[in-house]
């Protein structure tokens, strides 16, 4: 992991809160629960999956914040496919101006 653990925890929560108005309410609760129980990798994997599946509009700044986190964890665990292929996940986002 190339990112400070505290930055991972803080950054993942900040990003969910920043995107909350564009995500399904139940999923926001799930993401925040995952944060609270210490599962930031699972949270990031599900967040990437959701953002791609739902074609959620994200700004370039939000994409960059997500990129810092997903590339910082550099997961090789196949349990987190959206983190294993971080570049592919980032390219699949619906980035708007």
């Amino acid at each position: 992991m190339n990112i400070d653990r505290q930055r991972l925890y803080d950054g993942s929560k900040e990003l969910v809160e920043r995107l909350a108005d564009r995500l399904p309410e139940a999923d926001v609760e799930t993401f925040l629960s995952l944060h609270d129980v210490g599962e930031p990798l699972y949270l990031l994997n599900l967040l990437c999956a959701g953002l791609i599946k739902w074609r959620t509009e994200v700004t370039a700044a939000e994409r960059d914040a997500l990129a810092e986190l997903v590339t910082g964890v550099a997961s090789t665990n196949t349990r987190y496919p959206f983190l294993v292929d971080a570049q592919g996940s980032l390219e699949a986002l619906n980035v708007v101006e």
Side-chain angles (χ1 to χ4, degrees), residues 81-95:
F82 291 89
L83 302 182
V84 170
D85 182 18
Q87 190 61 39
S89 296
L90 294 168
E91 289 171 2
L93 293 173
N94 183 20
V95 180

Side-chain angles (χ1 to χ4, degrees), residues 57-70:
E57 293 183 349
V58 296
T59 65
E62 291 164 340
R63 182 218 34 229
D64 293 348
L66 181 60
E68 177 187 351
L69 298 174
V70 298

Side-chain angles (χ1 to χ4, degrees), residues 4-80:
D4 174 81
R5 192 157 188 78
Q6 193 61 48
R7 175 68 187 122
L8 175 61
Y9 278 94
D10 294 344
S12 60
K13 184 176 183 181
E14 289 168 8
L15 191 55
V16 169
E17 290 173 342
R18 193 170 170 182
L19 296 167
D21 64 329
R22 287 167 272 158
L23 300 172
E25 186 176 331
D27 290 296
V28 171
E29 291 176 22
T30 299
F31 296 147
L32 293 176
S33 293
L34 288 170
H35 173 270
D36 292 346
V37 298
E39 289 288 347
L41 295 180
Y42 191 39
L43 180 165
L44 285 174
N45 189 69
L46 289 179
L47 180 60
C48 287
L51 291 172
I52 293 166
K53 177 183 175 187
W54 304 317
R55 298 294 301 147
T56 304
E57 293 183 349
V58 296
T59 65
E62 291 164 340
R63 182 218 34 229
D64 293 348
L66 181 60
E68 177 187 351
L69 298 174
V70 298
T71 59
V73 296
S75 181
T76 58
N77 185 336
T78 57
R79 187 173 154 214
Y80 308 119

